[in-house]
Amino acid sequence: MKISEILNNNKVTVSFEVFPPKEWAKLADTKKVISEMVKDKPAFMSVTYGASGTTSGYTTEIANAIRQGGVTPLSHLTCLTSTKEKINSVLDELEKKGVENVLALRGDIPKDFIMSKSQYYHHAYELVNEIKARNHFCIGGACYPEVHPESKNRVEDIAHLKEKVDCGLDFITTQMFFDNEKFYNFREMCAIKEINVPIIAGIMPITNAKQIKRSAELSNASIPKKFEKIMERFGENPDVMKQAGIIYATEQIIDLMANGVNNIHIYTMNKPDVAHQIMKGLSAIINEQG
Ligand code: FAD
């Protein structure tokens, strides 16, 4: 099924994310994680793509396992360091496996990488154009409520997002954020700039205190005082921190839903128990509105 069809029916949707293994031998473990996660009936499940492309086969294999588990898969695809031939072979493979949804990404710029005019791809919109030309996939893209780290300012970032969406995106998914006000401001800016595709809010449950520092650095996400206090008090106790992180993410989602945000993506990070606890916390809302 195309994700555009899932999003366009005005119902609440909650989706999950998994990452593929780094080696073939671990594929069975990741498939086990998926078989646990599908029990919570996410609206769809995305699978990330290693920026170097060397594990692309695992991404397509995992997308296929999600589909076989009865859930719609969304396969991520990055292009910066890739050739057109490589991108097209991955897209051919996805088509063959019956995967209909792709998140079209540029990928982070690797350390010491020099952007050149001669390389195939420089920005995600070029990949969007290429996927669109196939006339087969529903296409999503990334967006940044707290501005992409490379952008000079929000105005420039939103202008590039608008160009990318106009190339044919069906939806956009946000980078993680911990302060819902940042999302509401971003949503307003998108409306002003006539970015009218569904915006899926990306929520990362922080279940250990070390994880947040790295996640926040990579994503440009600011940490609200309230969450800082939680980490100060509970960060040294893994069980308590995990529970507090799950509750914080659940409360964030409830606030978003109360403010009219119907589509939530949880960065579940191959943790079925975390996904399950959050879904349990939302069960009445999902039953009523899903
Ligand atoms: P772009 O849309 O190309 O934007 C990158 C930067 O370039 C921005 O600053 C933008 O404003 C600017 N820009 C865009 N167009 C132009 C233009 N025409 N001229 C000048 N500047 C321009 N990474 C992975 O490696 N694997 C994954 O699976 C993965 N999944 C992700 C999922 C989500 C939901 C998100 C939010 C991010 C994900 N990432 C992933 C990280 C992503 O690859 C990085 O954030 C990357 O740096 C930017 O990718 P993009 O697709 O947003 O790029």
Side-chain angles (χ1 to χ4, degrees):
M1 191 176 200
K2 294 215 157 115
I3 288 174
S4 47
E5 293 168 48
I6 297 174
L7 299 177
N8 285 338
N9 64 10
N10 277 332
K11 290 186 172 166
V12 163
T13 67
V14 181
S15 49
F16 295 167
E17 182 157 305
V18 290
F19 54 85
K22 288 203 171 65
E23 49 192 280
W24 198 254
K26 297 269 166 61
L27 208 60
D29 296 346
T30 311
K31 286 185 178 176
K32 196 158 176 284
V33 163
I34 290 162
S35 66
E36 282 303 308
M37 280 190 177
V38 297
K39 290 181 192 160
D40 278 303
K41 298 192 170 47
F44 64 88
M45 274 174 79
S46 71
V47 49
T48 62
Y49 189 88
S52 65
T54 51
T55 57
S56 63
Y58 307 158
T59 294
T60 49
E61 186 66 27
I62 294 299
N64 194 38
I66 293 168
R67 193 183 59 77
Q68 287 171 337
V71 170
T72 296
L74 166 64
S75 191
H76 293 197
L77 179 59
T78 70
C79 63
L80 181 66
T81 59
S82 204
T83 61
K84 262 182 195 283
E85 290 72 23
K86 170 75 182 175
I87 292 294
N88 278 295
S89 77
V90 175
L91 292 169
D92 287 346
E93 193 58 28
L94 290 170
E95 273 201 54
K96 225 187 308 166
K97 289 195 151 79
V99 177
E100 295 180 280
N101 306 288
V102 174
L103 194 75
L105 298 150
R106 186 200 65 180
D108 283 323
I109 302 174
K111 205 168 163 269
D112 301 328
F113 181 84
I114 298 167
M115 274 264 206
S116 74
K117 282 212 170 101
S118 60
Q119 74 197 54
Y120 285 106
Y121 304 99
H122 305 83
H123 291 290
Y125 77 88
E126 295 158 305
L127 179 61
V128 177
N129 283 333
E130 202 160 327
I131 302 174
K132 192 76 187 167
R134 289 183 160 237
N135 213 7
H136 173 81
F137 293 102
C138 165
I139 315 170
C143 62
Y144 303 85
E146 296 184 68
V147 181
H148 186 271
E150 285 165 40
S151 289
K152 283 197 210 91
N153 53 51
R154 172 171 301 285
V155 172
E156 182 188 286
D157 205 40
I158 292 268
H160 288 139
L161 177 61
K162 170 72 176 156
E163 284 164 19
K164 183 164 71 172
V165 169
D166 288 349
C167 288
L169 290 184
D170 297 293
F171 65 92
I172 49 181
T173 305
T174 74
Q175 182 58 280
M176 68 184 79
F177 59 90
F178 304 102
D179 176 353
N180 287 357
E181 288 307 319
K182 308 283 183 198
F183 177 87
Y184 301 137
N185 292 339
F186 172 73
R187 180 173 64 170
E188 211 172 303
M189 282 288 278
C190 286
I192 291 167
K193 293 292 172 192
E194 296 184 350
I195 294 172
N196 295 323
V197 292
I199 306 173
I200 305 181
I203 298 298
M204 167 76 94
I206 296 293
T207 53
N208 90 50
K210 281 194 199 113
Q211 175 197 354
I212 196 166
K213 197 169 174 300
R214 190 170 150 66
S215 301
E217 270 169 18
L218 286 175
S219 65
N220 234 11
S222 51
I223 310 295
K225 259 257 120 11
K226 179 177 169 183
F227 202 75
E228 262 178 24
K229 286 277 170 209
I230 291 173
M231 282 189 302
E232 261 171 49
R233 177 78 205 263
F234 307 120
E236 296 301 315
N237 185 332
D239 288 343
V240 180
M241 188 60 225
K242 183 172 170 184
Q243 189 177 50
I246 288 170
I247 291 172
Y248 188 90
T250 309
E251 283 183 2
Q252 238 193 308
I253 295 170
I254 292 171
D255 178 72
L256 286 165
M257 287 177 174
N259 282 281
V261 182
N262 274 353
N263 308 120
I264 307 288
H265 185 66
I266 309 177
Y267 291 107
T268 45
M269 307 287 284
N270 297 21
K271 293 178 183 153
D273 56 330
V274 172
H276 180 69
Q277 291 299 324
I278 295 177
M279 291 303 259
K280 221 165 94 181
L282 299 172
S283 59
I285 300 177
I286 292 172
N287 285 340
E288 191 205 39
Q289 315 217 355

